[in-house]
Amino acid sequence: MTKGRLFIELDNFRELAESFGAVAPEYDRARPGYPDELFDELERLWGRSLRGARVLDVGAGTGIATRLLAARGADVIAVEPYAGMAAQLLAASPQLPLVRGNGDDLPFHDASADLISYAQAFHWTRPERSVPEAIRVLRPGGALATWWNVHDETVPWVRARVERLSAALPGRYHGYGRITEHTGHFAPAGLAVGHARLRWERRVTVDHVLTDLTSRSFMASLSPEERAPVLAAERAALTADFPDGLVDEPFLLDLTVAVKTG
């Protein structure tokens, strides 16, 4: 797994987070979704079904996970702080309820939710605030679930890409290493914690991979002139590795489910 930062330094936090608005269509179109097995494991670790559960999907972005939770029968509300991402969510899924807010200050009553989910988003919170907020809003037996799709760096082409991006964007490129630094806040707060890791992959075009890369915060926060040479180098490398233009992207999917027992 990459040694890049998981926690976002405070001086870069707002710049990186707000950069997503400019690439919201690319984010929605190209980011990977999640396999059904993720939600099977979530239910297993939680000990109950998503069907009929009141779910707050926090940091919902463009609604990729929100739609999948709704498809599992959850009564889900998307919670998203940034206007550009929220607008894309509403454009793609106008039927989903959306509340503007963030995990550090949830705009919901005490004991009003069965599940609070963070898909690819918990690292944008301050756990010293977001964990107590989740506990406040969860009902007894409710759960806080966090998960991240992480490219599998045991695969040579993925590892080579990380090395290229680290060299091209020093001090800016970050991956999703040190996930335990976030989930480590759960057990001391009195939550019963379970973990699962899944492996899966998707087959997409080189263009799709580049669009996904464009939607990453370390790229989205660059100017078009700064992005262009990085994307050109990635296109050349991917085309050399996948001359037929189709890329098998391998992922590790890390899931943590923390249950409020009291």
Side-chain angles (χ1 to χ4, degrees):
M1 187 177 294
T2 181
K3 295 179 181 178
R5 303 183 308 279
L6 178 62
F7 288 100
I8 307 299
E9 284 84 348
L10 293 181
D11 57 347
N12 293 331
F13 185 93
R14 184 168 296 277
E15 174 196 355
L16 289 173
E18 291 182 343
S19 69
F20 285 124
V23 295
E26 290 85 353
Y27 189 111
D28 197 44
R29 185 168 68 252
R31 284 291 183 104
Y34 305 99
D36 287 341
E37 289 79 9
L38 167 68
F39 301 102
D40 294 340
E41 284 297 295
L42 194 163
E43 291 177 332
R44 180 184 68 80
L45 291 170
W46 186 16
R48 65 162 289 181
S49 172
L50 285 164
R51 184 164 297 280
R54 182 71 159 176
V55 178
L56 309 179
D57 186 34
V58 185
T62 63
I64 294 171
T66 318
R67 290 188 285 271
L68 294 172
L69 287 161
R72 295 284 293 217
D75 176 15
V76 61
I77 298 173
V79 184
E80 170 55 40
Y82 294 108
M85 299 293 267
Q88 181 64 38
L89 189 155
L90 288 175
S93 304
Q95 78 282 5
L96 291 176
L98 170 68
V99 171
R100 296 289 300 280
N102 68 77
D104 292 343
D105 186 17
L106 291 169
F108 297 94
H109 294 299
D110 296 358
S112 60
D114 298 308
L115 179 73
I116 296 174
S117 61
Y118 284 89
Q120 224 75 12
F122 193 70
H123 57 292
W124 295 105
T125 76
R126 275 76 168 184
E128 68 275 11
R129 300 181 188 176
S130 59
V131 174
E133 273 293 271
I135 292 171
R136 177 185 66 80
V137 172
L138 286 172
R139 296 166 179 157
L144 169 61
T146 65
W147 62 86
W148 286 270
N149 268 322
V150 180
H151 284 97
D152 184 354
E153 292 182 26
T154 65
V155 177
W157 78 262
V158 175
R159 187 167 60 252
R161 182 172 74 168
V162 169
E163 292 170 357
R164 286 193 305 272
L165 291 172
S166 297
L169 302 171
R172 186 175 288 271
Y173 173 74
H174 64 88
Y176 293 101
R178 306 196 304 273
I179 287 172
T180 54
E181 291 187 15
H182 267 299
T183 58
H185 289 259
F186 297 165
L191 300 170
V193 181
H195 301 280
R197 170 173 278 195
L198 304 172
R199 293 178 181 272
W200 72 286
E201 67 177 36
R202 65 174 183 171
R203 172 166 283 193
V204 293
T205 65
V206 167
D207 282 341
H208 196 109
V209 174
L210 293 172
T211 301
D212 182 6
L213 184 60
T214 301
S215 78
R216 303 287 165 170
S217 60
F218 56 83
M219 291 289 285
S221 58
L222 299 175
S223 69
E225 294 76 20
E226 291 171 317
R227 279 199 298 269
V230 180
L231 291 173
E234 288 307 304
R235 180 180 293 280
L238 287 169
T239 301
D241 285 334
F242 301 96
D244 65 353
L246 294 176
V247 180
D248 292 314
E249 269 194 305
F251 293 95
L252 301 175
L253 183 45
D254 282 291
L255 167 68
T256 299
V257 179
V259 180
K260 180 178 176 179
T261 57

